[in-house]
Each structure stands twice: as C-alpha cells, then as structure tokens.
Amino acid sequence: MRIAVVGATGMVGQEMLKVLEQRNVQMDELLLVASEKSVGKEVSFKGKQVKVISMKQAIASKPDIALFSAGGDTSLEFAPQFAAVGTTVIDNSSAWRMDPDKKLIVPEINGDSLTEDDKIIANPNCSTIQLVMVLKPLHEKYSIKRVVVSTYQSITGTGVKAVAQMENERTGQKGDMAYPYEIDRNCIPHCDVFLENGYTKEEMKLTNETKKILGDDNVHVTATAVRVPVVGGHSESVNIEFENEFNTGDVRKLLANCDGITVQDMLETNTYPMPLYSKGKDDVFVGRIRRDLSQINTLNCWIVADNLRKGAATNAVQIAEYLIGKKVMA
C-alpha cells in the first residue's frame, strides 16, 4: 500500500499527515508531493524525515491512493493523470464535487456507494460535512423539508495567510491581508466569491453538496456563511423543518447513537459545542437541540467541528481507510 499526499506542505496537507500518523493508517510507502519550490524539502512523519517529490515523480510511482489538497486547478490538471495510472484520488478541492460522474463522499453516510471504478472521489466542503453528518439520520427518520443554516467559520478555512493576518492584527503588525477587512474582533459575511444570485460560492456549496450527499433534491437548503476570528473549527446554527413530528429527546438519542457524532447538550452545566473544544478532534459535535416555537415540526440545533480535521483531512483519510478496509480498489 503506497499513499501519496499532494499538497503535503499546506495547512490541510500537514493535517492529513497528522491524521495518517494518529490513526496509524497502514502503508508500505508514503509519498509527499508539493509545488516545484518545495521539492527536496524534508517533512517529518512518524519520527522520520521524508523528502518532498514532484508531481511528475509521484505519477510515475503509481501510488495506490493519492490524497489531494492542492487547490482546484491542480486537481483538475493532475487528478486525471494519477487516475490514468491506476491511482485512486481523494480530492479535497471543489473541482469534482458537483461533477455528476464523481461521487461526493462522507464515509459514515455514503461510503458504501464506492466501487473500484471510482478513481476520482470528491471530499465535500468542510461546512457541508459537519452539516450532513447531523442531517442524514434526521432525514431518514423525520424527512427533512427545509434547512436554514448560518455558519461561523474559522479563519483556518482560508489558510495560513488568514491566520497570519489575524495574528498580525492582534500584535499590531502590518502584513498581507487575506480578507478585504480586519478579521480580529470582527465578523465578515463573505466566504469565497459572490455569485450573480447574491449568494457566495461557499453558501451555494452548502446548498448543492447537501442535496447531492443526501441524494434528495427535495431538501431545500439556504445558507449564510460568515467568517469569524476563531481558530478551532466551524460552527453552524441550523434550523430544520421536517415533514413529520419529532420528540427532542428522541432526536438526542438518535444522534448520540451515530458514529462520528458527539451530543453535548446539558444546559444545567452549560455544556454545548464550541470550537474551543472541537479543535484537534475528529467528531462532529451537536447541541442546543430544541424545538422551534415559531412553526410546527421544526428543530433548532448548533453544530461544531474542526474544519481541518473532519471537515477536510480526517474525512479524506477515512475514505482511504474505507477503500483499504473494504478492498475497494482495482
């Protein structure tokens, strides 16, 4: 088993290496791939130094699996080249997510749809992953009609430039700006680019990817995505309208019994999900579970997850683990 990490020196690539090590994914060889300027650099993995190689070298090596986190343009250009030599690509960019011929996978939800013919597999958007982890079991039991989601997204979703911007602002230093405004002590209702319909690309990812993963275009989703000066993870305020009546106690039990979900919902002890506690963890945390008093069959909840872990690196590694464990590779 030979695994390549493409974009190994980036923020998500580094997290992928951490997850591979922590989950002790069994492999015979690890290939680290990055841009030409990083070729030859050494990166630590399991106490050993591994040299970064070029894309061309990696393709020629024909790894079994390639975990991609190097941007959409890179994925569009090189993922098919890896697939052509027999590598199964798990791509973290948005390049392939809405391609009708590519599967958009959260292993706990639709991993069983994968076959050996799937050579390019899309990893969903970070905000979508934590949302659908909660929506899927609720949809199966109560049938969701409509979802209204407002996100509070960590600066780490933008990358190292955004982290540097906030750190500079907190220490009074000038530097490159990842955002059009200061982010420290501020909230920016602008994640990704604005589209003609007035929504941002991030908001439409939440809408379209959720429908694709749930396999139901009748689930209506509307989103507002906001960037906040937080490092530990993304938070979401979610309002869910069902076709059927529900009991909040049953909802808590249902979610508590789902793999990858932790319910934190004890108001008497001020126990609820927060990015402060999700950082570095792989679960999706849900709390503030309560009935919407303004209309029937509607639930409010609060969902938090580390966007670099379950929202990106962990989900991709879990897909790889599924492929290896189920032997779903040619």
Side-chain angles (χ1 to χ4, degrees):
M1 176 55 56
R2 305 165 77 237
I3 297 177
V5 175
V6 179
T9 57
M11 186 172 281
V12 174
Q14 287 288 294
E15 202 67 31
M16 284 177 171
L17 293 177
K18 196 182 297 182
V19 174
L20 285 167
E21 184 168 340
Q22 290 174 350
R23 294 175 75 91
N24 196 29
V25 176
Q26 296 302 301
M27 67 186 87
D28 300 297
E29 186 179 1
L30 175 68
L31 306 176
L32 302 185
V33 190
S35 62
E36 289 295 331
K37 65 181 180 182
S38 296
V39 171
K41 289 183 179 178
E42 293 189 340
V43 176
S44 177
F45 182 76
K46 290 189 174 182
K48 296 179 180 179
Q49 296 300 114
V50 183
K51 276 193 176 182
V52 174
I53 63 174
S54 69
M55 200 77 75
K56 187 176 180 181
Q57 288 173 291
I59 294 167
S61 297
K62 300 181 181 180
D64 298 285
I65 293 172
L67 302 172
F68 263 67
S69 187
D73 290 341
T74 299
S75 295
L76 286 171
E77 181 178 358
F78 291 106
Q81 295 184 41
F82 275 92
V85 299
T87 301
T88 300
V89 174
I90 301 166
D91 180 48
N92 193 55
S93 79
S94 61
W96 305 99
R97 290 174 187 159
M98 297 311 299
D99 186 321
D101 296 324
K102 304 294 184 293
K103 290 172 183 171
L104 188 60
I105 298 295
V106 178
E108 295 92 335
I109 296 174
N110 57 356
D112 58 1
S113 70
L114 291 171
T115 72
E116 63 181 34
D117 294 328
D118 296 309
K119 303 313 289 183
I120 298 177
I121 301 165
N123 205 39
N125 181 48
C126 46
S127 301
T128 304
I129 291 173
Q130 65 189 73
L131 178 65
V132 296
M133 282 285 289
V134 172
L135 293 186
K136 178 62 173 178
L138 296 178
H139 186 45
E140 287 180 344
K141 183 157 186 180
Y142 303 112
S143 189
I144 295 173
K145 292 173 62 177
R146 182 170 187 255
V147 179
V148 181
V149 53
S150 299
T151 73
Y152 304 71
Q153 296 185 213
S154 166
I155 57 168
T156 56
T158 306
V160 291
K161 188 176 179 181
V163 176
Q165 177 183 333
M166 189 176 77
E167 289 175 349
N168 286 339
E169 289 167 0
R170 290 185 173 178
T171 56
Q173 299 182 59
K174 290 188 175 181
D176 290 339
M177 300 278 285
Y179 305 116
Y181 300 98
E182 291 184 4
I183 186 61
D184 191 32
R185 293 182 290 183
N186 193 22
C187 296
I188 303 175
H190 179 183
C191 295
D192 214 321
V193 298
F194 286 109
L195 304 174
E196 287 186 7
N197 63 6
Y199 287 82
T200 63
K201 192 175 177 182
E202 182 82 3
E203 290 159 354
M204 294 312 300
K205 287 176 189 175
L206 275 160
T207 298
N208 297 325
E209 292 179 23
T210 296
K211 291 181 178 184
K212 182 172 180 178
I213 295 166
L214 294 181
D216 191 344
D217 286 336
N218 293 318
V219 175
H220 300 290
V221 181
T222 186
T224 301
V226 182
R227 193 69 65 184
V228 296
V230 166
V231 172
H234 291 349
S235 304
E236 296 173 344
S237 174
V238 187
N239 181 270
I240 311 165
E241 182 183 359
F242 299 114
E243 293 277 2
N244 304 310
E245 179 52 53
F246 65 91
N247 175 280
T248 54
D250 292 340
V251 167
R252 290 187 186 91
K253 288 177 185 175
L254 175 64
L255 295 175
N257 288 324
C258 291
D259 288 341
I261 294 178
T262 295
V263 175
Q264 295 179 321
D265 199 27
M266 294 179 63
L267 303 186
E268 59 273 20
T269 59
N270 294 333
T271 300
Y272 32 70
M274 293 185 290
L276 184 68
Y277 297 141
S278 72
K279 183 174 172 58
K281 297 183 175 70
D282 290 332
D283 267 14
V284 171
F285 299 87
V286 59
R288 295 301 315 279
I289 296 167
R290 63 205 188 277
R291 185 177 294 276
D292 181 344
L293 301 179
S294 70
Q295 66 175 11
I296 63 168
N297 298 344
T298 304
L299 180 82
N300 285 309
C301 64
W302 176 253
I303 304 169
V304 179
D306 186 328
N307 55 295
L308 295 181
R309 301 281 298 198
K310 183 56 179 172
T314 299
N315 198 75
V317 171
Q318 286 175 319
I319 295 172
E321 289 175 327
Y322 185 91
L323 295 173
I324 296 167
K326 299 289 185 179
K327 297 181 171 57
V328 188
M329 290 185 294

